[in-house]
Amino acid sequence: MAIDYKQVPSPCYVLDETRLRKNLELIKTVQDKAGIEIIMAFKACAMWSAFPIINEYIPRAAASSIHEARLAFEEMGTKAHTYSPAFTQKDIAEILKYSSHITFNSITQFEMHKDALAAHPTAISAGLRINPEFSDVETDLYNPCAPGTRLGVAASNLPAELPSEIEGLHFHSLCESSSYDLEKTLQAIEKRFASYLQKAKWINMGGGHLMTRKDYDTEHLIKILKAFKDKWNVKVILEPGSAFMWQTGDLVASVVDIVLDHGIRTAILDVSFTAHMPDCLEMPYKPRITGAYHEPQKDKPTYRLGGNSCLAGDFMGLWSFDEELKTGDQLIFEDMIHYTMVKTTMFNGVPHPAIAIWNDTKGLNIVREFGYEDYKGRMG
Ligand SMILES: Cc1ncc(COP(=O)(O)O)c(C=O)c1O
C-alpha cells in the first residue's frame, strides 16, 4: 500500500514508513556485511518522530552542532559523533556531555578545547577533520575540497605527529556520490595521509554515500570498505544523511492561483521553493512532480510553478500536465524529506508545512503542525 494522498492536508511533508524501513534495511545490511559503523547525519533530516523506527536499525547519530547533539541524546538515546567547524568555549561543556566522539576542524580548535576534553568525566574519542584535496563534486556550494576551503586540514598543513589525544581522522568530500567516487577519494587519502592512518584508531568517511539509490553498487562499497579496514587496521565509520531518507516521502502542496505574463503561465502554490524546498534553488535542481511531465510538452497544459513568498526568483519550471491546473489541485513534490525540513525558513511569515508519517496499517499520523506562535517565537 502506498500513501493515500487524499488524506494528506496541504501543505505537508509526508514520510512513508515502508520506504524508510526499506532504506534502513539496506543501510544496516551494508554496515553488517562490511563490519563498519554507520550513523545518521542529522543535518540531512532531524525528523525525530521517526527516530523510534530508525533506532530499530541504526541507533547512532552524527551531529554538527550543540542542538543536534542534544537531540541525539534526548530523542535517539545515544551520544553523538559531533563535528563542527567552530566549537565555542561557551558551548563545549554541553557538547561534550552529548558526544561519544568529537572531531575538530583544525589543530587550533583542538588546542582550544583539549583541557575541557581532558577534564570531562567520561572518555570521549577525539578526531581531526582532514582535507583529502580530492572531490568529484562539481557544484562548489557542495564541494568541501574547493580551493580555499575552511573544512579540514590539508596534509601539507599538518605537523609530522598529531597530538596524542587525536585518535581518529574524519573527512567529508562526497555528495550524492557512488562507491567508485569513494574509492578514488580513498586512494587520495592513502597517498597523502598514510603516516596518520597508521596511527589512527578510527576513520570517519563523512556522508555523501548514496547507497540507497537504485543504481548504487553496494557490493562494491562493501568490498572497498572491508579492504580499507583490513589494510589500515582501523575502525571505519560512515555518516550519510541523504541515503537514509532518499525517496522516502514528499511535500504535498496545492494550487492557489494561476497568473499569466508574457505568455508564461505560473501556478502559484501554498508552498515556497525558497522557504520549503531551498535546495531546488541552491543546487539548483528541478524536483519531480507525481503525474506531471518533467519536461514541457508542446501539446499539454504547461506551467511554471511559483512559491507563495514575494522573492522574485521563488519559482521553477516548466512542467506539463494532462489537464489544466486549477485552484485547489494537489501537487506532490517527490523526494522532499532530506535537506528540506532541516533547512526551511519562515521567510515572509509563510505558513510552514505540517509534518506527517504514513503507516500502511495505521494510516496518516500528523506529528506536527505549525502556526503563528512558531513564527513569532523565532523573532524577538
Ligand atoms: C561532515 C558531514 N557529514 C555528513 C554529511 C551528510 O551528507 P549526505 O547527506 O550527503 O550523506 C554532510 C553533509 O553536508 C557533512 O558535511
Side-chain angles (χ1 to χ4, degrees):
M1 208 173 127
I3 298 172
D4 177 4
Y5 289 97
K6 286 201 287 298
Q7 292 185 34
V8 182
S10 183
C12 182
Y13 296 103
V14 57
L15 172 80
D16 184 347
E17 185 174 329
T18 303
R19 286 189 258 163
L20 174 62
R21 284 187 185 275
K22 208 169 132 224
N23 282 357
L24 291 166
E25 256 158 39
L26 182 144
I27 294 168
K28 185 165 165 40
T29 303
V30 169
Q31 170 182 266
D32 296 349
K33 278 192 173 174
I36 60 151
E37 183 171 22
I38 303 187
I39 61 183
M40 177 173 133
F42 280 10
K43 72 193 86 206
C45 182
M47 187 177 162
W48 50 273
S49 53
F51 287 1
I53 304 166
I54 294 164
N55 265 3
E56 290 179 33
Y57 304 80
I58 301 277
R60 307 282 287 142
S64 40
S65 63
I66 185 170
H67 296 327
E68 284 187 358
R70 180 171 169 185
L71 193 70
F73 190 74
E74 290 186 354
E75 297 297 331
M76 200 173 238
T78 185
K79 288 189 177 181
H81 292 232
T82 309
Y83 158 77
S84 159
F87 292 121
T88 62
Q89 271 158 334
K90 177 165 73 73
D91 289 345
I92 195 71
E94 198 178 341
I95 288 171
L96 293 177
K97 192 167 118 194
Y98 303 131
S99 303
S100 61
H101 294 65
I102 184 153
T103 295
F104 297 101
N105 190 52
S106 65
I107 300 281
T108 45
Q109 272 273 288
F110 165 74
E111 294 292 338
M112 181 190 284
H113 299 302
K114 69 177 184 199
D115 291 345
L117 195 61
H120 194 74
T122 56
I124 297 173
S125 189
L128 181 72
R129 178 161 175 171
I130 54 171
N131 171 11
E133 293 183 85
F134 174 87
S135 172
D136 276 345
V137 178
E138 280 161 15
T139 312
D140 271 357
L141 186 63
Y142 295 100
N143 181 4
C145 301
T149 184
R150 69 189 192 293
L151 304 169
V153 191
S156 55
N157 291 329
L158 282 179
E161 293 279 335
L162 292 182
S164 59
E165 298 92 329
I166 302 282
E167 298 183 332
L169 300 175
H170 179 295
F171 71 87
H172 169 77
S173 58
L174 301 173
C175 179
E176 299 192 356
S177 304
S178 72
S179 58
Y180 298 90
D181 300 323
L182 174 63
E183 191 171 35
K184 283 186 265 167
T185 309
L186 292 180
Q187 284 160 6
I189 292 206
E190 289 184 327
K191 203 170 101 197
R192 297 192 168 99
F193 295 93
S195 66
Y196 306 102
L197 274 171
Q198 267 155 6
K199 294 185 188 138
K201 285 193 182 156
W202 53 265
I203 180 161
N204 183 327
M205 300 184 182
H209 317 275
L210 200 45
M211 60 188 86
T212 46
R213 183 157 64 191
K214 235 197 252 136
D215 60 356
Y216 193 101
D217 189 346
T218 49
E219 288 307 318
H220 178 251
L221 175 67
I222 292 165
K223 196 177 101 192
I224 60 172
L225 291 173
K226 269 176 148 171
F228 191 93
K229 191 179 74 149
D230 293 345
K231 178 170 173 184
W232 297 101
N233 190 24
V234 71
K235 178 178 173 174
V236 172
I237 302 156
L238 302 188
E239 50 174 34
S242 297
F244 281 81
M245 296 293 167
W246 185 251
Q247 293 183 337
T248 56
D250 314 295
L251 174 58
V252 172
S254 54
V255 176
V256 177
D257 192 15
I258 313 269
V259 296
L260 176 73
D261 184 68
H262 283 72
I264 299 172
R265 285 196 299 176
T266 301
I268 301 183
L269 310 176
D270 59 354
V271 291
S272 154
F273 288 100
T274 188
H276 307 137
M277 299 174 268
D279 272 1
C280 294
L281 298 179
E282 283 180 17
M283 190 83 170
Y285 80 96
K286 184 180 174 188
R288 298 223 163 242
I289 296 173
T290 305
Y293 297 90
H294 197 60
E295 298 308 330
Q297 309 290 305
K298 255 202 237 116
D299 49 348
K300 301 272 183 197
T302 297
Y303 297 86
R304 179 185 269 185
L305 298 178
N308 55 353
S309 83
C310 62
L311 175 74
D314 189 2
F315 69 84
M316 293 210 81
L318 305 160
W319 288 264
S320 295
F321 299 83
D322 282 327
E323 309 278 339
E324 297 287 357
L325 291 181
K326 54 184 190 319
T327 300
D329 281 355
Q330 186 184 61
L331 293 183
I332 299 163
F333 289 91
E334 296 179 359
D335 197 20
M336 282 296 166
I337 302 298
H338 51 102
Y339 293 106
T340 51
M341 285 170 255
V342 285
K343 290 186 83 175
T344 54
T345 70
M346 292 188 175
F347 178 53
N348 276 212
V350 287
H352 196 283
I355 295 174
I357 302 183
W358 173 266
N359 172 288
D360 287 342
T361 320
K362 297 182 208 144
L364 189 72
N365 176 15
I366 297 177
V367 294
R368 182 79 159 93
E369 286 175 295
F370 299 87
Y372 169 68
E373 293 302 333
D374 297 295
Y375 169 69
K376 187 180 170 194
R378 297 188 62 235
M379 307 296 145

